[in-house]
Coordinates of all heavy atoms in Angstrom, one line a residue:
M1 N -80.4 -37.8 13.0 CA -79.7 -37.9 14.3 C -78.6 -36.9 14.4 O -77.8 -36.8 13.5 CB -79.2 -39.3 14.6 CG -80.2 -40.3 15.0 SD -79.3 -41.6 15.7 CE -80.5 -42.2 16.8
D2 N -78.4 -36.3 15.6 CA -77.4 -35.3 15.8 C -76.1 -36.0 16.3 O -76.2 -36.8 17.3 CB -77.8 -34.3 16.8 CG -76.9 -33.0 16.8 OD1 -76.1 -32.9 15.9 OD2 -77.1 -32.2 17.7
Q3 N -75.0 -35.8 15.7 CA -73.8 -36.6 16.0 C -72.7 -35.7 16.7 O -71.5 -35.9 16.6 CB -73.2 -37.2 14.8 CG -74.1 -38.1 14.1 CD -73.7 -39.6 14.2 OE1 -72.5 -39.8 14.6 NE2 -74.6 -40.5 14.0
R4 N -73.2 -34.7 17.5 CA -72.2 -33.8 18.2 C -71.6 -34.6 19.4 O -72.4 -35.2 20.1 CB -72.9 -32.6 18.6 CG -73.1 -31.6 17.5 CD -73.7 -30.3 18.0 NE -75.1 -30.5 18.1 CZ -75.9 -29.7 18.7 NH1 -75.5 -28.7 19.4 NH2 -77.2 -30.0 18.8
P5 N -70.3 -34.5 19.7 CA -69.8 -35.1 20.8 C -70.2 -34.4 22.1 O -70.4 -33.2 22.1 CB -68.3 -35.0 20.7 CG -68.1 -33.8 19.7 CD -69.3 -33.8 18.9
A6 N -70.4 -35.1 23.1 CA -70.8 -34.5 24.4 C -69.7 -33.8 25.1 O -68.5 -34.4 25.1 CB -71.4 -35.6 25.4
Q7 N -69.9 -32.6 25.5 CA -68.8 -31.9 26.2 C -69.2 -31.6 27.6 O -70.3 -31.2 27.9 CB -68.6 -30.6 25.4 CG -68.0 -30.8 24.0 CD -67.8 -29.5 23.3 OE1 -68.1 -28.4 23.8 NE2 -67.3 -29.5 22.1
P8 N -68.2 -31.6 28.5 CA -68.5 -31.3 29.9 C -68.8 -29.8 30.0 O -68.3 -29.0 29.2 CB -67.2 -31.7 30.6 CG -66.2 -31.7 29.6 CD -66.8 -32.0 28.3
P9 N -69.4 -29.4 31.1 CA -69.6 -28.0 31.3 C -68.3 -27.2 31.4 O -67.3 -27.8 31.9 CB -70.4 -27.9 32.6 CG -70.6 -29.3 33.1 CD -70.0 -30.2 32.1
P10 N -68.2 -26.0 31.0 CA -66.9 -25.3 31.0 C -66.3 -25.1 32.4 O -65.1 -25.1 32.6 CB -67.2 -23.9 30.4 CG -68.7 -23.8 30.2 CD -69.3 -25.2 30.4
D11 N -67.1 -25.0 33.5 CA -66.6 -24.8 34.8 C -65.9 -26.0 35.3 O -64.8 -26.0 35.9 CB -67.7 -24.4 35.8 CG -68.3 -23.1 35.5 OD1 -67.6 -22.3 34.9 OD2 -69.4 -22.8 35.9
A12 N -66.4 -27.2 35.0 CA -65.8 -28.5 35.5 C -64.4 -28.7 34.8 O -63.6 -29.3 35.4 CB -66.7 -29.6 35.2
E13 N -64.3 -28.2 33.6 CA -63.0 -28.5 32.9 C -61.9 -27.4 33.2 O -60.8 -27.8 33.3 CB -63.3 -28.4 31.4 CG -62.1 -28.8 30.5 CD -62.4 -28.8 29.1 OE1 -63.3 -29.6 28.7 OE2 -61.8 -28.0 28.3
S14 N -62.3 -26.2 33.5 CA -61.3 -25.1 33.7 C -60.7 -25.2 35.0 O -59.6 -24.8 35.2 CB -61.9 -23.8 33.4 OG -63.0 -23.5 34.3
E15 N -61.4 -25.6 36.1 CA -60.9 -25.5 37.4 C -59.7 -26.4 37.6 O -58.7 -25.9 38.2 CB -61.9 -25.8 38.4 CG -61.4 -25.6 39.8 CD -62.4 -25.1 40.8 OE1 -63.5 -24.6 40.3 OE2 -62.2 -25.1 42.0
P16 N -59.6 -27.7 37.3 CA -58.5 -28.5 37.5 C -57.2 -28.0 36.8 O -56.1 -28.1 37.2 CB -58.8 -29.9 37.0 CG -60.3 -29.9 37.0 CD -60.8 -28.5 36.8
K17 N -57.4 -27.4 35.6 CA -56.3 -26.9 34.8 C -55.6 -25.7 35.6 O -54.4 -25.6 35.6 CB -56.7 -26.4 33.5 CG -56.9 -27.5 32.5 CD -57.2 -27.0 31.1 CE -57.5 -28.2 30.2 NZ -57.8 -27.7 28.8
L18 N -56.4 -24.9 36.2 CA -55.9 -23.8 37.0 C -55.1 -24.3 38.1 O -54.0 -23.8 38.4 CB -57.0 -22.9 37.5 CG -57.7 -22.0 36.4 CD1 -58.9 -21.2 37.1 CD2 -56.7 -21.0 35.8
K19 N -55.6 -25.3 38.8 CA -54.8 -25.8 40.0 C -53.6 -26.5 39.6 O -52.5 -26.3 40.2 CB -55.7 -26.8 40.7 CG -56.9 -26.2 41.4 CD -57.7 -27.2 42.2 CE -58.9 -26.6 42.9 NZ -59.7 -27.5 43.5
I20 N -53.6 -27.3 38.5 CA -52.4 -28.1 38.1 C -51.3 -27.2 37.4 O -50.2 -27.5 37.5 CB -52.8 -29.3 37.3 CG1 -51.8 -30.4 37.4 CG2 -53.0 -28.9 35.8 CD1 -52.3 -31.7 37.2
Y21 N -51.7 -26.1 36.8 CA -50.7 -25.3 36.1 C -50.2 -24.2 37.0 O -49.2 -23.6 36.7 CB -51.3 -24.7 34.8 CG -51.5 -25.7 33.7 CD1 -52.7 -25.9 33.2 CD2 -50.4 -26.5 33.3 CE1 -52.9 -26.9 32.2 CE2 -50.6 -27.5 32.3 CZ -51.9 -27.6 31.8 OH -52.1 -28.6 30.8
F22 N -50.8 -24.0 38.1 CA -50.2 -23.0 39.1 C -49.0 -23.6 39.8 O -48.1 -22.8 40.1 CB -51.4 -22.7 40.1 CG -50.9 -21.7 41.1 CD1 -50.7 -20.3 40.7 CD2 -50.8 -22.0 42.4 CE1 -50.3 -19.4 41.7 CE2 -50.4 -21.1 43.4 CZ -50.1 -19.8 43.0
L23 N -49.0 -24.8 40.2 CA -47.9 -25.4 41.0 C -46.6 -25.4 40.2 O -45.6 -25.1 40.8 CB -48.3 -26.8 41.4 CG -47.4 -27.5 42.5 CD1 -47.3 -26.6 43.7 CD2 -48.0 -28.8 42.8
P24 N -46.5 -25.9 39.0 CA -45.2 -25.8 38.3 C -44.7 -24.4 38.2 O -43.5 -24.1 38.4 CB -45.5 -26.3 36.9 CG -46.7 -27.1 37.0 CD -47.5 -26.5 38.1
N25 N -45.5 -23.4 38.0 CA -45.1 -22.0 38.0 C -44.6 -21.5 39.3 O -43.7 -20.8 39.4 CB -46.2 -21.1 37.5 CG -46.5 -21.3 36.0 OD1 -45.7 -21.7 35.3 ND2 -47.8 -21.1 35.7
L26 N -45.2 -22.0 40.4 CA -44.8 -21.7 41.7 C -43.4 -22.3 42.0 O -42.6 -21.7 42.6 CB -45.8 -22.2 42.7 CG -45.7 -21.7 44.2 CD1 -45.8 -20.2 44.3 CD2 -46.7 -22.4 45.0
L27 N -43.2 -23.5 41.6 CA -41.9 -24.2 41.7 C -40.8 -23.4 40.9 O -39.7 -23.3 41.4 CB -42.0 -25.6 41.3 CG -42.8 -26.5 42.2 CD1 -43.0 -27.9 41.6 CD2 -42.2 -26.6 43.6
T28 N -41.1 -23.0 39.8 CA -40.2 -22.2 39.0 C -39.9 -20.9 39.7 O -38.7 -20.5 39.7 CB -40.8 -21.9 37.6 OG1 -41.0 -23.2 36.9 CG2 -39.8 -21.1 36.7
A29 N -40.9 -20.2 40.3 CA -40.6 -19.0 41.0 C -39.7 -19.3 42.2 O -38.9 -18.5 42.5 CB -41.9 -18.4 41.4
G30 N -39.9 -20.4 42.9 CA -39.1 -20.8 44.0 C -37.6 -21.0 43.6 O -36.7 -20.6 44.3
N31 N -37.5 -21.6 42.4 CA -36.2 -21.8 41.8 C -35.5 -20.5 41.5 O -34.3 -20.3 41.9 CB -36.3 -22.7 40.6 CG -35.0 -23.1 40.0 OD1 -33.9 -22.8 40.5 ND2 -35.0 -23.8 38.9
L32 N -36.2 -19.6 40.9 CA -35.7 -18.3 40.6 C -35.3 -17.5 41.9 O -34.2 -16.9 42.0 CB -36.7 -17.5 39.8 CG -36.3 -16.1 39.4 CD1 -35.2 -16.2 38.3 CD2 -37.6 -15.4 38.8
F33 N -36.1 -17.6 42.9 CA -35.8 -16.9 44.2 C -34.6 -17.5 44.8 O -33.7 -16.7 45.3 CB -37.0 -17.0 45.1 CG -36.8 -16.5 46.5 CD1 -36.7 -15.1 46.7 CD2 -36.5 -17.3 47.5 CE1 -36.5 -14.6 47.9 CE2 -36.3 -16.8 48.8 CZ -36.3 -15.4 49.0
C34 N -34.5 -18.8 44.9 CA -33.3 -19.4 45.5 C -32.0 -19.1 44.7 O -31.0 -18.8 45.4 CB -33.5 -20.9 45.6 SG -34.7 -21.4 46.8
G35 N -32.1 -19.1 43.4 CA -30.9 -18.7 42.6 C -30.5 -17.3 42.9 O -29.3 -16.9 43.0
F36 N -31.5 -16.4 43.0 CA -31.2 -15.0 43.2 C -30.5 -14.8 44.6 O -29.5 -14.0 44.7 CB -32.4 -14.1 43.1 CG -32.2 -12.7 43.4 CD1 -31.6 -11.9 42.5 CD2 -32.6 -12.1 44.6 CE1 -31.4 -10.5 42.7 CE2 -32.5 -10.8 44.9 CZ -31.8 -10.0 43.9
V37 N -31.1 -15.4 45.6 CA -30.5 -15.3 47.0 C -29.1 -15.9 47.0 O -28.2 -15.3 47.6 CB -31.4 -16.0 48.0 CG1 -30.7 -16.1 49.4 CG2 -32.7 -15.3 48.1
A38 N -28.9 -17.0 46.3 CA -27.5 -17.6 46.3 C -26.5 -16.7 45.6 O -25.4 -16.5 46.1 CB -27.6 -19.0 45.6
L39 N -26.9 -16.1 44.5 CA -26.0 -15.2 43.8 C -25.7 -13.9 44.7 O -24.5 -13.5 44.8 CB -26.6 -14.7 42.5 CG -26.5 -15.8 41.4 CD1 -27.3 -15.3 40.2 CD2 -25.1 -16.1 41.0
T40 N -26.7 -13.4 45.3 CA -26.4 -12.2 46.2 C -25.5 -12.6 47.4 O -24.7 -11.8 47.7 CB -27.7 -11.5 46.6 OG1 -28.5 -12.5 47.3 CG2 -28.5 -11.0 45.5
K41 N -25.7 -13.7 47.9 CA -24.9 -14.1 49.1 C -23.4 -14.4 48.7 O -22.5 -14.1 49.4 CB -25.4 -15.4 49.8 CG -26.6 -15.1 50.7 CD -26.2 -14.2 51.8 CE -27.3 -13.9 52.7 NZ -26.9 -13.0 53.8
I42 N -23.2 -14.9 47.5 CA -21.9 -15.2 47.0 C -21.2 -13.8 46.7 O -20.0 -13.7 47.0 CB -21.9 -16.1 45.7 CG1 -22.3 -17.5 46.2 CG2 -20.6 -16.1 45.0 CD1 -22.5 -18.5 45.1
V43 N -21.9 -12.9 46.1 CA -21.3 -11.6 45.8 C -21.0 -10.8 47.1 O -19.9 -10.2 47.2 CB -22.3 -10.8 44.9 CG1 -21.8 -9.3 44.8 CG2 -22.4 -11.4 43.5
E44 N -21.8 -11.0 48.1 CA -21.6 -10.2 49.4 C -20.6 -11.0 50.3 O -20.3 -10.4 51.3 CB -22.9 -10.1 50.1 CG -23.9 -9.2 49.5 CD -25.3 -9.2 50.2 OE1 -25.5 -10.0 51.1 OE2 -26.1 -8.4 49.8
A45 N -20.2 -12.1 50.0 CA -19.4 -13.0 50.9 C -18.1 -12.3 51.2 O -17.4 -11.7 50.4 CB -19.1 -14.3 50.2
D46 N -17.8 -12.3 52.5 CA -16.5 -11.8 53.0 C -15.7 -13.0 53.5 O -16.0 -13.5 54.6 CB -16.7 -10.8 54.1 CG -15.5 -10.2 54.6 OD1 -14.4 -10.2 53.9 OD2 -15.5 -9.6 55.8
L47 N -14.7 -13.4 52.7 CA -14.0 -14.6 53.0 C -13.0 -14.4 54.1 O -12.4 -15.4 54.6 CB -13.3 -15.1 51.7 CG -14.2 -15.5 50.6 CD1 -13.4 -16.0 49.4 CD2 -15.2 -16.6 51.0
T48 N -12.7 -13.2 54.6 CA -11.8 -13.0 55.7 C -12.5 -13.4 57.0 O -11.7 -13.8 57.9 CB -11.4 -11.5 55.8 OG1 -12.5 -10.7 55.9 CG2 -10.6 -11.1 54.5
T49 N -13.8 -13.4 57.1 CA -14.5 -13.8 58.3 C -14.9 -15.3 58.3 O -15.4 -15.8 59.3 CB -15.7 -12.9 58.5 OG1 -16.6 -13.1 57.5 CG2 -15.3 -11.5 58.7
G50 N -14.8 -16.0 57.2 CA -15.2 -17.4 57.2 C -16.0 -17.7 55.9 O -16.2 -16.8 55.1
F51 N -16.5 -18.9 55.9 CA -17.2 -19.3 54.7 C -18.7 -19.5 55.0 O -19.4 -20.2 54.3 CB -16.7 -20.7 54.2 CG -15.3 -20.6 53.7 CD1 -14.2 -20.9 54.5 CD2 -15.1 -20.1 52.4 CE1 -12.9 -20.8 54.0 CE2 -13.8 -20.0 51.9 CZ -12.7 -20.4 52.7
Q52 N -19.3 -18.8 56.0 CA -20.7 -18.9 56.3 C -21.6 -18.5 55.2 O -22.6 -19.1 54.9 CB -21.1 -18.1 57.6 CG -20.4 -18.7 58.8 CD -19.0 -18.2 59.1 OE1 -18.6 -17.3 58.4 NE2 -18.3 -18.7 60.0
D53 N -21.3 -17.4 54.5 CA -22.1 -16.9 53.4 C -22.1 -17.9 52.2 O -23.1 -18.1 51.6 CB -21.6 -15.5 52.9 CG -21.9 -14.4 53.9 OD1 -22.9 -14.6 54.7 OD2 -21.3 -13.4 53.9
I54 N -20.9 -18.5 52.0 CA -20.8 -19.5 50.9 C -21.6 -20.7 51.2 O -22.3 -21.3 50.3 CB -19.3 -19.8 50.6 CG1 -18.5 -18.6 50.3 CG2 -19.2 -20.9 49.5 CD1 -18.9 -17.9 49.0
R55 N -21.6 -21.2 52.4 CA -22.4 -22.4 52.8 C -23.9 -22.1 52.7 O -24.6 -22.9 52.3 CB -22.0 -22.8 54.3 CG -20.7 -23.4 54.4 CD -20.5 -24.0 55.8 NE -19.1 -24.5 55.9 CZ -18.2 -24.0 56.8 NH1 -18.6 -23.1 57.6 NH2 -17.0 -24.5 56.8
F56 N -24.2 -20.8 53.1 CA -25.6 -20.4 53.0 C -26.1 -20.4 51.5 O -27.1 -20.9 51.2 CB -25.8 -19.0 53.6 CG -27.2 -18.5 53.8 CD1 -28.0 -19.1 54.7 CD2 -27.6 -17.5 52.9 CE1 -29.3 -18.6 54.9 CE2 -28.9 -17.1 53.1 CZ -29.8 -17.6 54.0
A57 N -25.2 -19.9 50.7 CA -25.5 -19.9 49.2 C -25.6 -21.3 48.7 O -26.5 -21.6 47.8 CB -24.4 -19.1 48.5
L58 N -24.7 -22.2 49.1 CA -24.8 -23.6 48.6 C -26.1 -24.3 49.0 O -26.6 -25.1 48.3 CB -23.6 -24.4 49.1 CG -22.2 -24.0 48.5 CD1 -21.1 -24.8 49.1 CD2 -22.3 -24.4 47.0
G59 N -26.6 -23.9 50.2 CA -27.9 -24.5 50.6 C -29.0 -24.0 49.7 O -29.9 -24.8 49.4
F60 N -28.9 -22.7 49.3 CA -30.0 -22.2 48.4 C -29.8 -22.8 47.0 O -30.8 -23.0 46.3 CB -29.9 -20.7 48.4 CG -30.9 -20.1 49.4 CD1 -30.4 -19.6 50.6 CD2 -32.2 -19.9 49.2 CE1 -31.2 -19.1 51.6 CE2 -33.0 -19.3 50.1 CZ -32.5 -18.9 51.3
I61 N -28.6 -23.1 46.6 CA -28.4 -23.7 45.3 C -29.0 -25.2 45.3 O -29.6 -25.6 44.4 CB -26.9 -23.7 44.9 CG1 -26.5 -22.3 44.6 CG2 -26.7 -24.6 43.7 CD1 -25.0 -22.1 44.4
Q62 N -28.8 -25.9 46.4 CA -29.4 -27.2 46.5 C -30.9 -27.1 46.5 O -31.6 -28.0 45.9 CB -28.9 -27.9 47.8 CG -27.5 -28.3 47.7 CD -27.0 -28.9 49.0 OE1 -27.6 -28.7 50.1 NE2 -25.9 -29.7 49.0
L63 N -31.5 -26.2 47.2 CA -32.9 -26.0 47.3 C -33.4 -25.7 45.9 O -34.5 -26.2 45.4 CB -33.3 -24.9 48.3 CG -34.8 -24.8 48.6 CD1 -35.3 -26.1 49.2 CD2 -34.9 -23.6 49.6
A64 N -32.7 -24.8 45.1 CA -33.1 -24.5 43.8 C -33.0 -25.8 42.9 O -33.9 -25.9 42.0 CB -32.2 -23.4 43.2
C65 N -32.1 -26.6 43.1 CA -32.0 -27.9 42.3 C -33.2 -28.8 42.6 O -33.8 -29.4 41.7 CB -30.7 -28.7 42.6 SG -29.3 -27.9 42.0
I66 N -33.7 -28.8 43.9 CA -34.8 -29.6 44.2 C -36.1 -29.0 43.6 O -36.9 -29.8 43.0 CB -35.0 -29.7 45.7 CG1 -33.9 -30.5 46.3 CG2 -36.3 -30.2 46.1 CD1 -33.8 -30.5 47.8
F67 N -36.2 -27.7 43.6 CA -37.4 -27.0 42.9 C -37.3 -27.4 41.4 O -38.4 -27.6 40.8 CB -37.3 -25.5 43.1 CG -37.9 -25.1 44.4 CD1 -37.2 -24.1 45.2 CD2 -39.1 -25.6 44.9 CE1 -37.7 -23.7 46.4 CE2 -39.6 -25.1 46.1 CZ -38.9 -24.2 46.8
D68 N -36.1 -27.3 40.8 CA -36.0 -27.6 39.4 C -36.4 -29.1 39.1 O -37.0 -29.3 38.0 CB -34.6 -27.3 38.9 CG -34.5 -27.3 37.4 OD1 -35.4 -26.7 36.8 OD2 -33.4 -27.8 36.9
L69 N -36.0 -30.0 40.0 CA -36.3 -31.4 39.8 C -37.8 -31.6 39.7 O -38.3 -32.3 38.8 CB -35.6 -32.2 40.9 CG -36.0 -33.7 40.9 CD1 -35.2 -34.4 39.8 CD2 -35.6 -34.3 42.2
F70 N -38.5 -31.0 40.7 CA -39.9 -31.3 40.8 C -40.8 -30.4 39.8 O -41.9 -30.8 39.5 CB -40.4 -31.0 42.2 CG -40.0 -32.1 43.1 CD1 -39.2 -31.9 44.2 CD2 -40.4 -33.4 43.0 CE1 -38.8 -32.9 45.1 CE2 -40.0 -34.4 43.8 CZ -39.2 -34.2 44.9
D71 N -40.2 -29.4 39.3 CA -40.9 -28.5 38.4 C -41.3 -29.2 37.1 O -42.5 -29.2 36.7 CB -40.0 -27.3 38.0 CG -40.6 -26.4 37.0 OD1 -41.9 -26.4 36.8 OD2 -39.9 -25.6 36.4
G72 N -40.4 -29.9 36.5 CA -40.7 -30.7 35.3 C -41.7 -31.8 35.5 O -42.5 -32.1 34.7
R73 N -41.5 -32.5 36.6 CA -42.3 -33.7 36.9 C -43.7 -33.3 37.2 O -44.7 -33.9 36.8 CB -41.7 -34.4 38.1 CG -40.4 -35.1 37.8 CD -39.9 -35.9 38.9 NE -38.6 -36.4 38.6 CZ -38.0 -37.3 39.2 NH1 -38.5 -37.9 40.2 NH2 -36.8 -37.7 38.8
V74 N -43.9 -32.2 37.9 CA -45.3 -31.7 38.2 C -45.9 -31.2 37.0 O -47.1 -31.4 36.8 CB -45.2 -30.6 39.4 CG1 -46.6 -30.0 39.5 CG2 -44.8 -31.3 40.7
A75 N -45.2 -30.5 36.1 CA -45.8 -30.0 34.9 C -46.3 -31.1 33.9 O -47.2 -30.9 33.1 CB -44.7 -29.1 34.2
R76 N -45.7 -32.3 34.0 CA -46.1 -33.4 33.2 C -47.3 -34.2 33.7 O -47.7 -35.2 33.1 CB -44.9 -34.3 32.9 CG -43.9 -33.7 32.0 CD -42.8 -34.6 31.6 NE -41.7 -33.9 31.1 CZ -40.6 -33.6 31.8 NH1 -40.5 -33.9 33.1 NH2 -39.6 -32.9 31.3
I77 N -47.8 -33.9 34.9 CA -48.9 -34.6 35.5 C -50.1 -34.4 34.6 O -50.4 -33.2 34.3 CB -49.1 -34.2 36.9 CG1 -48.0 -34.6 37.9 CG2 -50.5 -34.8 37.5 CD1 -48.1 -34.1 39.3
P78 N -50.8 -35.4 34.2 CA -52.0 -35.2 33.4 C -53.1 -34.4 34.1 O -53.2 -34.5 35.4 CB -52.5 -36.6 33.1 CG -51.6 -37.6 33.8 CD -50.6 -36.8 34.5
P79 N -53.8 -33.6 33.4 CA -54.8 -32.7 34.1 C -55.9 -33.4 34.9 O -56.4 -32.9 35.8 CB -55.5 -32.0 32.9 CG -54.5 -32.1 31.8 CD -53.8 -33.4 32.0
G80 N -56.3 -34.6 34.5 CA -57.3 -35.3 35.3 C -56.8 -36.0 36.5 O -57.6 -36.6 37.2
F81 N -55.6 -35.9 36.9 CA -55.0 -36.7 38.0 C -55.4 -36.1 39.3 O -55.4 -35.1 39.7 CB -53.5 -36.7 37.8 CG -52.8 -37.6 38.9 CD1 -53.0 -38.9 39.0 CD2 -52.0 -37.0 39.9 CE1 -52.5 -39.7 39.9 CE2 -51.4 -37.8 40.8 CZ -51.7 -39.1 40.9

């Protein structure tokens, strides 16, 4: 008798991994983008006219924190979910 374990076809196994590993990378890219925009707005800020640029940058920092929060959680989702 042959005792080889049954394996699913390669197409059925590879597609969910592509979908599930793309989202954490997308969230990381969103985090990177928000951090970059926040830094550029803080450097460009003209405090003589007000704090609008700083508030805008703080909003992007908060958005980057949200991306960072969900990045790790989404990356830990099991592939079969």
